[in-house]
Amino acid sequence: YSEKCRYIMRYSIVAQLGATPRDKQNVQLFRGFLNALSISEPELVSGLLDDSVESEVLAPWYPVFQTSVGVDTIGVDRLIRSLDVRKAGIGIYRSLMMGGLTNQLSGADFNRLLTRIAAESEGVDIAIEILSMRISFAPGQSSTSELVDIGCELMRRLTFARRNAVDDYRLGIIAKHCLVGEEGT
C-alpha cells in the first residue's frame, strides 16, 4: 500500500502538477490525498512532506500541503526549512493563519516559527496576521510572557507604510494583549 501511494504521489500527481502551468495549478486533490493518507500512514505523509520542501514542482506549494495535516513541532521544523530553501513565496505562508492550524503548537514553537517568517521580506505582516489569529482563538496555547515576547518583537520590526483597516484591527489585537507590563512598554 505504501509503495503504491508513494508512486501515485511522486509520479502521477506530481507529474501532472508539473505539466500544468503554475497559474493554472490546483493542489486540492493533493491536499485531500495527504489528509486522508495521514490517518493510516502518518510516517509516509511525513516523508512525502519532507520531500516536497525541496521538490521543484511541489516546494512552491509546500506550506499549503503542511496545512492539510496540521502543524506540530516537526511541521514547524519543516516550515522553517522551507523558508530557508526559499522555493515557496512568502505570501503562501498566510495559509498558516486559517482553521486554527497553529493552535496546537507550544508557545516556544509558535514563536520560533513567527520569528523566522518575520525575518523574510514582507514576512512581518504575515507573522502579525498569524499572531492575531492565535490571540483571537487560542491565547491559552502560549504563556502570557511568550505572547508578549513575540508581539513586542513583531511590533519592533513593523513599518507603518501602507496600512489599512484590517491591519489596524490586527495590530489592535496584538497591542491589547502584548504591549502590557514592563516588557510591553
Side-chain angles (χ1 to χ4, degrees):
Y1 179 69
S2 294
E3 287 305 313
K4 186 176 182 179
C5 289
R6 210 173 287 231
Y7 175 83
I8 290 168
M9 288 292 288
R10 291 202 173 127
Y11 300 104
S12 300
I13 297 173
V14 176
Q16 184 59 49
L17 189 64
T20 305
R22 174 89 166 121
D23 64 331
K24 302 277 190 228
Q25 291 179 353
N26 184 327
V27 296
Q28 295 309 316
L29 173 66
F30 198 85
R31 291 184 70 225
F33 182 78
L34 287 172
N35 181 271
L37 189 60
S38 71
I39 296 165
S40 61
E41 299 276 348
E43 297 83 21
L44 175 60
V45 170
S46 185
L48 292 169
L49 289 170
D50 284 339
D51 292 349
S52 70
V53 169
E54 297 191 36
S55 162
E56 292 304 316
V57 174
L58 301 177
W61 294 104
Y62 162 70
V64 172
F65 298 148
Q66 184 67 57
T67 67
S68 301
V69 299
V71 181
D72 56 10
T73 299
I74 294 169
V76 169
D77 293 340
R78 204 181 283 125
L79 285 160
I80 289 172
R81 195 176 92 209
S82 172
L83 286 156
D84 292 341
V85 169
R86 298 181 180 272
K87 290 187 178 184
I90 191 66
I92 202 159
Y93 292 88
R94 275 191 171 88
S95 62
L96 298 171
M97 66 183 250
M98 304 300 176
L101 283 164
T102 63
N103 291 359
Q104 69 185 31
L105 292 176
S106 70
D109 280 341
F110 182 73
N111 287 9
R112 188 167 58 98
L113 177 59
L114 289 192
T115 299
R116 181 59 187 86
I117 290 171
E120 294 295 312
S121 176
E122 299 180 36
V124 172
D125 290 338
I126 294 165
I128 285 172
E129 290 174 23
I130 296 168
L131 177 58
S132 70
M133 293 301 284
R134 170 90 163 216
I135 290 170
S136 296
F137 297 103
Q141 291 302 109
S142 296
S143 69
T144 301
S145 66
E146 288 169 325
L147 283 176
V148 169
D149 288 347
I150 192 63
C152 289
E153 177 59 28
L154 294 177
M155 296 292 264
R156 275 191 285 279
R157 294 180 185 205
L158 184 65
T159 59
F160 286 93
R162 300 178 314 174
R163 295 276 155 215
N164 60 44
V166 173
D167 293 335
D168 291 345
Y169 176 75
R170 289 186 177 124
L171 290 173
I173 290 170
I174 293 170
K176 179 180 172 185
H177 286 84
C178 300
L179 299 182
V180 296
E182 199 170 299
E183 297 88 6
T185 58

